[in-house]
Amino acid sequence: MIRFILNNKIIETHKPDGMILLDFIREEEGLTGTKEACREGECGACTVLIGRLNNEKMEYKTIASCITPIGSLKNCHIVTVEGLDTGDFTLVQKLIIDNSASQCGYCTPGIVLSMTGFCFMSEEISYDAIIDALDGNICRCTGYASIRNAGRSLIDNLKANDYEKTAKKDRLQKLIEMNIIPSYFAEIPEKLKKIGNRSNINISDETVIVAGATDLFVQKPEALENQKLYFMSERKDLEYIKEENGNILVGGAVAIEDFRKSQVIKKHYPELEDYLLLHSSTILRNTATLSGNIVNASPIGDITIILLALSARLVIENRHGNIRKIELSKFYISYKKYDLEPCEIIREIEIPICSKNEQFNFEKVSNRKILDIASVNSAALIKLSDKKNIEKLRISAGGVAPIPLLLSGLEKFIGKELSAKLIQEIAEYCMQSVTPIDDIRGSAKYKKILLKQLIIAHFNKINTVQK
Amino acid sequence: MKNVDMKMHVKGQSVFIDDIKAPIGLLNAALFTSPVAKGRIKNIDISAAQKSEGVAMVITHKDIPGKNQIGHMIADQPLLAFDEIEYIGQPIAIVVADTRKNAKKACQLIKVDIEKLEPVFEPREAYQKGLIHAQKRVLVNGNIEEAFKKSKYIASGRIDSGGQEHFYFETQRALAIPKEADTIKVCASCQSPGAFQHHIAEVLDIPMHKVELEIRRLGGGFGGKESTAVWVVAAALAAKLLNRPVKLVISRNEDIATTGKRHPYSYDYKIGLDENGKILAFEVFLYQQAGGCADISPAVLGRSFLHTSGSYCIPNVKITAVSCKTNIPPNNAFRGFGVPQGTFIIESALFHASEIMGKNIIELKKINLLKDGDFLPYGMQLKKTNAVRCWETLDEKVNIKKRIEAVEEFNKNNQTKKRGISVIPVCFGISFAQSTLNQASALVNIYIDGSVSVSTGAVEMGQGVNTKILSVAANTLGIQKEKVRVDTTNTSRIPNASPTSASTGADLNGMATKFACEELLTRLKKLIAKKTNFFDLDKIRIKDGIVYLCGAKLDYTWEELILDAYNERTDLSCHSFYATPAIYYDRVKERGRPFAYYSYGTSLTEVEVDILRGVYEIVSIDVVHDVGKSLSPEIDKGQIEGAVIQSIGWTTIEQLRYAPDGKMLSSANSYKIPDIKFVPKNFNVMLLENSENPYAVCNSKAIGEPPFIHGLGAYFAILDVLRKIRKDKPLPSLPLTPEKVFMYIYE
Ligand SMILES: Cc1cc2nc3c(=O)[nH]c(=O)nc-3n(C[C@H](O)[C@H](O)[C@H](O)COP(=O)(O)OP(=O)(O)OC[C@H]3O[C@@H](n4cnc5c(N)ncnc54)[C@H](O)[C@@H]3O)c2cc1C
């Protein structure tokens, strides 16, 4: 049995864990405000809010309900557009109307939810931040100018109400006062405590491990509907990000968005906060995990490519609790084949903290800049001596081989003095060492030359940073 | 006035087809479609599918009671294929089951044996093989040979423009409910109430009066729901055969793979200029990639054909156009209806000519702009031309010269980033080019409590047509907007409605509504006259729901008036009709007055190309657009913004990809449309001031499609950058994806 709260209603259902939340909302509960438009997490029309109780406090985030299995939502508060009804229009709804930010209306509920969710999620109350929060909500009608204006007005309203300065614990109340959410939200924590349930499925050979579900439930939702599923969302113990002995330790259940915003990451790899905006969209990053990206084994996985350059290691746990450690660069065997037994999970990702003088850069080129899969991506960790000799050179490249690639043979450039000529040589070498294929993300020829250019871009970027 | 539907949209209360509460006994349908692009069906085996879980019926061509035909212009499109296969995705069978999942599962069990034939995918190849829809069209004006002889500069070449997926958010869908005595009610997401009702009647073999087609709103249409009736008719057919309600909803990827798109074109062009840069001659051959059936392609081609002179005065032309039959899903209407493609070719040719002449393209455009008294190639003389006014208004606002200089300055100071700029003028003919369609009717009912309902043939799809109609009704009657409601579009109330397309929805239906309201108002005024013994009807007014005589307010409200009218047995319901006057076109001579008026605009687009990576960013767009006297500035501004961004999608990142066998490779995860960060920070839209338009309702102008043309600016601004890097290649085709930009530079 799965128990959660949908809007203001306690739900107890015997539907399978693998049932899609959007179907549950629309077909079982008859709440048709949440729309289906792509069923792949690509458009955001189905955006809903998910709240979890964490240390007596509700934490809400937006997700794509079209690829979320209900089994991952035990003990959650799920909010659809119907659940925002305050009798009147909420502030967000009012601002959308004031700015004429809705035309055919099909994507509008999703936009309402993303803007409402933003108020909960964002540390930063700024125009740029709300645009980030809307990066997964596609609209075919408006051209977005009006939606941006609505977002800008919301920021103005939040600022005028001193929302930024409001203590975290008082924010929910503030949102109720500002008519952004209805008052019943205040009672949700108590209600959630009462329904408490935990599933305790053990991993067996037949169980499928589900983390953010953003890959699994796009690829084969039908096959998974009646599968035994093991939800990483229940592994609260693996949601940490901490610093220890020169490493950043990331729990196996950490979502990309939490990673992106974490203080530890901001401290050691501040550039990642922006780079990771190039991975999918807010509503997906909110649940998609680093581990999922790694095990997905896509030759183009953005997280994987970044972690390869950063010399990450995986801590893998089997069903008996035994642990082994492996370099990420040794994890991939061939296309979608990797070194993981059926009952093993990634428990932790270990990322060495780079030393001074080491510089990191990430490049991604995709047809659309945001919310698109790369044609080619690449990350580089480069260390230069004071005399500008290369001391360390690690470059990864995606989209150019059957697996996410750590480029080999770069040792020969170590010790050499960085010059325009050397950069060309390195770029040329990298280009010659890969064998991409023609596919929907671009022709083989394009990807090959593009990689060369991205290698040059790495050096350009670190050079400008150094200046 | 703001779009009234927004109040429901923001609460998720607007009802789209899939949100209608399921009627008892509802079944779900799915389509089984051809996996082969060209061939002949030898056998269809449905036996396994029939036995599959939950299946109620598997329908093939044999089960169709009436005509197996839904061709929109030419009878070449069977609802269900029975012999020839013309494209991958062509419907062969309809599977009806308890759930959509079961219907889909059963589809996989259908086996068809198709003898494969050689498909054709290239429009030029199709033309060479004689595979065209309808007739080749040729328009000659002036003396082209002489004019080329006189030309100092001549540019010629070949170029191509790509297709575009509509990506309306609500995919194709319908719900059909059988009623008593062989009647049927169909709720559909479609733009053509009259035509689709007709198709349903023919396929079901029942008279049209037994088919009630109802449309509340569409989750986006953009033309994609105008002509191809497959999904609506299929649902109706299934409901009729099973005597049960049937819903048919197709998935996003089915929609992308099997529905028509914007037409790709291939063009041959030749343009001649005199020593000052005045265009003397233009010769162009349009090859339209139409797909396996004619659908609405010949009409789209016709509009491209009539717009190949863009916003310019060209005295000598020869335009040839063919609609090529290729083995892909039949392409159909998409915002702009061929005009973007027609405009693209003259803009490209002129760009090319500017390179040969060595004159700045922007100056070249300006000196060729259309003016009052100029003739268009089909012999229509222009009046009230706002091409130059729009250009100059934009210039005043942004200072085009300074902007060009700023770009040059930027490029001097930057090595890896380069900026490009483009100015695009718009001249877009308004009216259906098929004169017959320029008609509409409205039914206005006043109820005894004073509330008013308006029905028209217009379909609301987010463009705000219902709000505009509502505002016309309220203003004409002199009552508060809250008293008026625009009802659904329903074929039982409004017969024979033309499609809501060609940007004419508000023009035609708004005018019909105005006529009906004026007639009702006259009836009411007569009653007031009788009651007050004041017979100068012109001096009786209703304002904000109160009656005035000679400007003096009476103690007499709308509600009281209506009740009196009812008691006096006044007819409080009025049907009215409007047909656009004085439009005609002679297809043999290719001469006439096909459009009631033109919509104008000018825009400036600036882009920044990252030379290292081949990616680019739209830096700014400034638009001036002529909307006449706007019925709703909020809605019109939204239409412009939406059209511009949708168009920039077409000209830059939206690219359809097919496998060698004709299968659509693009899907939701690879076909990317603009997102919120794609839109430039500087995006300014200005409505041309003091523009009057006597040819449309309340002096307004059509707005849905014309601003789409501005999006060409993104292509030409990127081109501006690319051509500064190298000119040793022909102009690249549209769209300019990052890959194409990159390969242009580096290959
Ligand atoms: C619209 C959309 C856009 C996307 N954009 C991008 C993008 O820009 N860049 C990109 O790289 N990817 C993108 N993806 C792909 C996907 O979101 C990412 O790969 C994501 O990181 C997957 O994580 P997840 O937690 O959702 O994985 P899931 O789908 O939950 O799982 C993926 C695989 O990992 C396994 N798994 C998950 N966690 C563990 C664990 N701890 N131990 C062992 N096995 C585990 C699962 O069993 C499964 O095989 C996109 C996907 C969608 C739908």
Side-chain angles (χ1 to χ4, degrees):
Chain A
M1 170 122 75
I2 302 170
R3 294 196 187 90
F4 52 78
I5 299 176
L6 175 58
N7 299 329
N8 201 10
K9 177 179 169 189
I10 294 176
I11 301 281
E12 300 191 338
T13 176
H14 289 285
K15 291 283 165 190
D17 276 356
M19 181 174 195
I20 296 289
L21 175 60
L22 176 64
D23 293 342
F24 186 86
I25 293 170
R26 289 183 59 91
E27 285 159 26
E28 300 300 316
E29 292 298 313
L31 299 176
T32 53
T34 311
K35 307 295 178 199
E36 172 184 326
C38 75
R39 237 182 147 77
E40 294 191 8
E42 293 284 353
C43 78
C46 68
T47 304
V48 299
L49 269 181
I50 296 298
R52 284 198 163 83
L53 196 55
N54 198 354
N55 296 328
E56 299 287 307
K57 214 185 113 258
M58 290 301 294
E59 284 175 359
Y60 286 94
K61 58 188 183 185
T62 47
I63 64 156
S65 66
C66 70
I67 50 173
T68 302
I70 54 171
S72 67
L73 301 171
K74 293 172 195 118
N75 298 325
C76 284
H77 179 210
I78 299 160
V79 188
T80 68
V81 69
E82 290 87 353
L84 291 178
D85 205 349
T86 57
D88 192 7
F89 294 109
T90 67
L91 178 64
V92 169
Q93 289 167 336
K94 190 177 158 298
L95 295 176
I96 288 178
I97 295 172
D98 287 351
N99 288 282
S100 288
S102 169
Q103 288 183 20
C104 87
Y106 206 90
C107 73
T108 308
I111 288 177
V112 169
L113 267 297
S114 275
M115 285 177 61
T116 307
F118 163 81
C119 302
F120 287 104
M121 296 174 331
S122 188
E123 309 261 309
E124 189 191 323
I125 302 299
S126 70
Y127 174 71
D128 285 345
I130 195 158
I131 298 302
D132 287 345
L134 286 163
D135 62 358
N137 293 89
I138 304 295
C139 168
R140 189 53 152 170
C141 296
T142 59
Y144 303 99
S146 52
I147 297 173
R148 292 192 310 200
N149 291 342
R152 195 177 283 119
S153 313
L154 179 60
I155 296 299
D156 293 346
N157 269 279
L158 289 168
K159 290 211 156 136
N161 281 277
D162 279 336
Y163 186 68
E164 245 170 331
K165 292 173 203 137
T166 310
K168 283 258 163 76
K169 64 173 181 26
D170 301 326
R171 284 192 168 186
L172 193 115
Q173 197 51 44
K174 188 90 181 178
L175 293 178
I176 294 173
E177 281 163 25
M178 287 182 71
N179 195 31
I180 288 175
I181 52 172
S183 56
Y184 77 83
F185 270 62
E187 296 138 31
I188 294 294
E190 286 312 309
K191 278 195 183 160
L192 272 183
K193 275 184 214 158
K194 277 184 210 140
I195 68 164
N197 59 1
R198 275 268 169 267
S199 79
N200 36 19
I201 294 186
N202 290 320
I203 301 188
S204 70
D205 287 353
E206 302 91 65
T207 39
V208 174
I209 297 165
V210 180
T214 64
D215 184 61
L216 279 173
F217 278 77
V218 171
Q219 301 306 333
K220 42 178 185 180
E222 293 88 15
L224 289 169
E225 181 164 358
N226 294 305
Q227 267 275 343
K228 259 199 215 160
L229 304 174
Y230 179 88
F231 291 104
M232 292 302 290
S233 56
E234 295 185 13
R235 293 295 302 265
K236 294 275 168 267
D237 58 320
L238 301 184
E239 284 184 354
Y240 56 84
I241 302 173
K242 59 191 179 194
E243 189 181 334
E244 222 173 83
N245 303 329
N247 288 312
I248 299 169
L249 307 181
V250 183
V254 168
I256 296 169
E257 188 67 359
D258 293 331
F259 179 75
R260 185 175 89 81
K261 289 186 173 167
S262 93
Q263 293 308 324
V264 181
I265 296 304
K266 280 187 189 169
K267 180 168 155 207
H268 296 292
Y269 291 105
E271 51 289 83
L272 280 179
E273 188 175 0
D274 282 344
Y275 293 156
L276 291 175
L277 284 173
L278 299 176
H279 182 293
S280 66
S281 64
T282 303
I283 54 171
L284 295 164
R285 286 191 306 271
N286 276 337
T287 59
T289 61
L290 285 77
S291 307
N293 199 279
I294 291 167
V295 181
N296 192 12
S298 156
I300 204 76
D302 290 322
I303 306 297
T304 310
I305 290 300
I306 288 170
L307 294 179
L308 276 171
L310 293 178
S311 306
R313 292 174 288 267
L314 306 178
V315 177
I316 293 172
E317 175 188 280
N318 71 9
R319 118 177 73 173
H320 310 293
N322 298 334
I323 293 211
R324 67 183 174 101
K325 220 186 242 190
I326 178 175
E327 299 271 335
L328 178 60
S329 57
K330 306 248 164 65
F331 185 66
Y332 300 103
I333 300 160
S334 58
Y335 181 67
K336 296 258 176 187
K337 280 224 171 77
Y338 41 82
D339 181 5
L340 195 71
E341 296 298 317
C343 296
E344 287 185 321
I345 67 164
I346 295 182
R347 208 199 132 79
E348 186 176 278
I349 301 158
E350 224 177 80
I351 308 168
I353 295 171
C354 67
S355 64
K356 260 201 266 164
N357 298 335
E358 281 183 347
Q359 294 197 53
F360 174 71
N361 186 49
F362 175 63
E363 294 284 333
K364 172 177 178 177
V365 167
S366 45
N367 183 51
R368 183 174 68 191
K369 186 174 175 192
I370 300 296
L371 184 45
D372 200 358
I373 303 297
S375 296
V376 176
N377 54 2
S378 173
L381 194 74
I382 302 170
K383 186 173 177 189
L384 298 179
S385 71
D386 295 342
K387 291 188 181 143
K388 287 222 163 181
N389 288 336
I390 297 183
E391 290 191 341
K392 183 173 175 182
L393 183 59
R394 251 178 106 87
I395 302 176
S396 58
V400 291
I403 59 167
L405 208 62
L406 182 69
L407 295 172
S408 59
L410 297 174
E411 311 78 51
K412 64 179 174 200
F413 301 107
I414 302 291
K416 296 205 174 163
E417 190 189 332
L418 194 65
S419 64
K421 190 166 156 279
L422 185 71
I423 294 172
Q424 279 295 330
E425 251 175 67
I426 297 172
E428 191 70 31
Y429 170 81
C430 293
M431 176 174 85
Q432 295 308 340
S433 66
V434 298
T435 50
I437 52 166
D438 290 328
D439 65 16
I440 194 104
R441 313 284 169 207
S443 70
K445 205 165 175 189
Y446 169 50
K447 292 185 211 169
K448 235 177 137 128
I449 314 176
L450 182 55
L451 177 63
K452 178 178 164 193
Q453 293 298 104
L454 295 187
I455 305 291
I456 296 170
H458 285 315
F459 285 99
N460 284 2
K461 284 262 270 296
I462 66 160
N463 262 330
T464 43
V465 174
Q466 278 203 329
K467 276 177 216 157
Chain B
M1 183 186 188
K2 290 184 197 305
N3 189 332
V4 290
D5 271 8
M6 285 196 295
K7 290 185 178 170
M8 285 183 296
H9 292 340
V10 293
K11 291 193 164 212
Q13 290 168 347
S14 309
V15 172
F16 297 89
I17 297 297
D18 205 24
D19 304 335
I20 297 171
K21 294 266 172 291
I24 293 168
L26 178 72
L27 296 170
N28 287 275
L31 291 181
F32 171 78
T33 62
S34 171
V36 171
K38 173 94 185 148
R40 200 162 284 132
I41 298 179
K42 296 270 147 207
N43 185 41
I44 307 172
D45 177 3
I46 56 169
S47 53
Q50 280 170 320
K51 284 178 225 137
S52 182
E53 185 188 349
V55 170
M57 186 173 182
V58 179
I59 300 166
T60 66
H61 65 93
K62 291 183 193 138
D63 303 304
I64 296 177
K67 281 192 207 161
N68 181 13
Q69 184 53 242
I70 54 165
H72 188 76
M73 298 180 73
I74 297 172
D76 68 347
Q77 190 168 7
L79 173 67
L80 296 173
F82 55 96
D83 177 18
E84 315 232 304
I85 289 292
E86 297 291 356
Y87 59 95
I88 291 180
Q90 184 168 359
I92 294 176
I94 307 164
V95 178
V96 195
D98 52 353
T99 64
R100 218 194 301 176
K101 253 185 222 159
N102 280 339
K104 291 222 148 202
K105 239 191 253 167
C107 280
Q108 288 165 4
L109 301 174
I110 295 178
K111 288 188 212 81
V112 332
D113 180 8
I114 300 175
E115 177 199 340
K116 284 194 188 171
L117 300 170
E118 193 60 40
V120 176
F121 299 121
E122 287 300 318
R124 286 170 188 258
E125 185 192 336
Y127 174 63
Q128 266 138 32
K129 291 185 169 159
L131 299 168
I132 64 167
H133 298 297
Q135 272 85 43
K136 179 197 230 178
R137 291 182 70 172
V138 184
L139 191 164
V140 179
N141 193 29
N143 187 333
I144 193 100
E145 284 81 19
E146 277 299 307
F148 275 120
K149 269 187 218 147
K150 277 195 215 144
S151 298
K152 173 127 194 253
Y153 306 102
I154 292 179
S156 66
R158 173 195 161 154
I159 197 164
D160 295 83
S161 63
Q164 184 178 27
E165 162 61 22
H166 298 85
F167 221 107
Y168 31 66
F169 262 41
E170 185 189 34
T171 57
Q172 302 280 356
R173 54 191 61 182
L175 168 67
I177 305 164
K179 303 256 165 167
E180 65 171 26
D182 250 1
T183 57
I184 187 163
K185 175 165 182 174
V186 183
C187 302
S189 185
C190 78
Q191 293 172 240
S192 291
F196 279 34
Q197 178 200 19
H198 195 196
H199 286 311
I200 294 169
E202 287 197 332
V203 171
L204 271 53
D205 196 26
I206 52 178
M208 283 173 80
H209 69 208
K210 289 194 170 183
V211 180
E212 178 187 357
L213 180 60
E214 179 161 89
I215 305 158
R216 175 67 276 185
R217 65 172 61 76
L218 274 51
F222 314 117
K225 298 168 180 173
E226 175 179 353
S227 58
T228 322
V230 171
W231 307 275
V232 178
V233 180
L237 175 64
K240 156 102 179 163
L241 293 176
L242 285 153
N243 198 25
R244 295 261 298 264
V246 173
K247 182 155 73 178
L248 195 162
V249 174
I250 66 172
S251 72
R252 172 62 50 199
N253 287 337
E254 268 178 288
D255 199 300
I256 294 177
T258 65
T259 67
K261 325 241 169 282
R262 180 182 300 283
H263 297 78
Y265 278 65
S266 187
Y267 319 78
D268 292 321
Y269 63 88
K270 184 176 170 189
I271 190 167
L273 313 181
D274 72 9
E275 65 281 5
N276 301 317
K278 274 268 186 193
I279 307 171
L280 293 180
F282 185 44
E283 184 174 0
V284 60
F285 201 121
L286 309 174
Y287 300 88
Q288 182 197 46
Q289 159 87 296
C293 311
D295 201 287
I296 201 167
S297 296
V300 173
L301 183 72
R303 256 184 179 270
S304 305
F305 181 76
L306 295 180
H307 281 85
T308 45
S309 55
S311 294
Y312 310 111
C313 177
I314 312 182
N316 303 285
V317 298
K318 181 175 180 197
I319 311 160
T320 312
V322 283
S323 179
C324 307
K325 180 172 173 173
T326 52
N327 297 108
I328 58 165
N331 284 323
N332 55 24
F334 194 152
R335 201 176 203 164
F337 206 83
V339 179
Q341 293 96 319
T343 311
F344 173 64
I345 189 54
I346 180 62
E347 290 291 335
S348 299
L350 199 56
F351 187 97
H352 189 181
S354 79
E355 290 186 348
I356 286 178
M357 189 177 169
K359 190 175 169 99
N360 182 294
I361 175 69
I362 296 176
E363 287 167 35
L364 202 52
K365 287 182 188 192
K366 195 176 171 196
I367 61 172
N368 283 292
L369 282 181
L370 287 166
K371 298 178 191 64
D372 274 1
D374 285 345
F375 283 91
L376 289 166
Y378 41 89
M380 182 161 163
Q381 193 172 24
L382 287 172
K383 274 189 277 187
K384 292 194 174 283
T385 316
N386 277 335
V388 174
R389 254 196 84 200
C390 285
W391 183 290
E392 286 174 351
T393 309
L394 180 80
D395 200 6
E396 270 163 36
K397 194 176 153 221
V398 305
N399 194 338
I400 297 174
K401 190 155 162 275
K402 276 223 173 110
R403 292 286 296 270
I404 296 173
E405 286 165 9
V407 163
E408 282 166 1
E409 186 65 22
F410 179 94
N411 290 343
K412 240 185 266 159
N413 299 327
N414 286 278
Q415 289 317 306
T416 57
K417 301 248 164 103
K418 296 286 178 192
R419 290 201 171 174
I421 199 165
S422 169
V423 177
I424 296 287
V426 178
C427 170
F428 196 111
I430 303 297
S431 293
F432 285 99
Q434 191 186 341
S435 301
T436 307
L437 294 175
N438 296 294
Q439 54 170 311
S441 51
L443 174 68
V444 179
N445 294 332
I446 307 174
Y447 296 92
I448 55 167
D449 64 353
S451 65
V452 175
S453 114
V454 182
S455 296
T456 72
V459 173
E460 175 63 44
M461 52 193 116
Q463 86 282 42
V465 66
N466 281 355
T467 301
K468 288 184 172 178
I469 286 170
L470 190 157
S471 120
V472 167
N475 290 341
T476 310
L477 293 171
I479 56 176
Q480 294 88 340
K481 300 196 161 97
E482 297 68 40
K483 292 195 170 58
V484 184
R485 177 171 181 271
V486 178
D487 207 338
T488 56
T489 310
N490 186 305
T491 54
S492 297
R493 263 176 273 123
I494 301 294
N496 314 324
S498 292
T500 298
S501 67
S503 309
T504 59
D507 277 16
L508 298 175
N509 296 283
M511 200 65 113
T513 302
K514 188 157 180 277
F515 285 177
C517 291
E518 280 168 354
E519 165 65 26
L520 285 165
L521 193 62
T522 305
R523 290 179 203 165
L524 292 170
K525 281 183 181 177
K526 280 186 186 152
L527 182 85
I528 298 168
K530 212 167 106 192
K531 282 204 154 301
T532 54
N533 268 323
F534 179 88
F535 291 96
D536 186 354
L537 293 195
D538 289 341
K539 298 218 165 107
I540 301 175
R541 262 191 83 195
I542 302 173
K543 211 184 121 204
D544 297 330
I546 309 250
V547 179
Y548 288 73
L549 288 192
C550 302
K553 195 171 177 175
L554 294 193
D555 184 15
Y556 195 25
T557 65
W558 170 260
E559 281 75 13
E560 289 162 343
L561 170 65
I562 296 305
L563 203 57
D564 286 347
Y566 172 73
N567 289 330
E568 293 282 333
R569 296 188 289 174
T570 310
D571 180 1
L572 289 173
S573 174
C574 182
H575 171 272
S576 211
F577 181 78
Y578 175 71
T580 316
I583 46 176
Y584 56 90
Y585 195 77
D586 183 334
R587 279 288 287 276
V588 178
K589 298 198 184 114
E590 297 288 7
R591 289 288 184 283
R593 188 178 181 276
F595 304 116
Y597 63 94
Y598 294 83
S599 167
Y600 299 93
T602 307
S603 59
L604 183 145
T605 306
E606 191 174 326
V607 301
E608 184 172 308
V609 180
D610 173 342
I611 304 298
L612 201 56
R613 302 170 182 84
V615 296
Y616 47 78
E617 197 177 306
I618 317 294
V619 177
S620 73
I621 309 170
D622 293 276
V623 179
V624 170
H625 204 89
D626 174 15
V627 300
K629 195 162 176 284
S630 177
L631 291 174
S632 164
E634 295 99 326
I635 288 175
D636 287 351
K637 208 160 165 261
Q639 284 296 295
I640 296 170
E641 289 163 352
V644 170
I645 296 305
Q646 197 173 57
S647 176
I648 296 182
W650 171 57
T651 60
T652 61
I653 58 171
E654 292 184 35
Q655 187 172 32
L656 294 158
R657 298 194 197 235
Y658 298 84
D661 68 352
K663 193 167 166 234
M664 173 62 75
L665 293 175
S666 301
S667 65
N669 102 348
S670 58
Y671 188 84
K672 299 287 173 162
I673 64 176
D675 66 294
I676 196 162
K677 292 188 181 174
F678 180 87
V679 178
K681 290 221 167 69
N682 299 311
F683 186 8
N684 307 305
V685 171
M686 194 179 137
L687 308 181
L688 186 71
E689 279 172 15
N690 302 322
S691 169
E692 298 263 310
N693 178 36
Y695 309 108
V697 62
C698 306
N699 272 309
S700 65
K701 275 197 177 188
I703 190 62
E705 297 168 292
F708 194 91
I709 304 303
H710 297 296
L712 287 171
Y715 170 91
F716 286 101
I718 298 170
L719 193 66
D720 182 30
V721 175
L722 296 183
R723 299 299 277 188
K724 283 186 186 130
I725 296 171
R726 60 193 290 186
K727 287 199 184 80
D728 58 337
K729 293 181 167 189
L731 299 182
S733 63
L734 175 156
L736 274 172
T737 59
E739 176 173 6
K740 226 186 269 171
V741 166
F742 187 91
M743 295 309 267
Y744 182 89
I745 301 172
Y746 290 104
E747 194 179 18

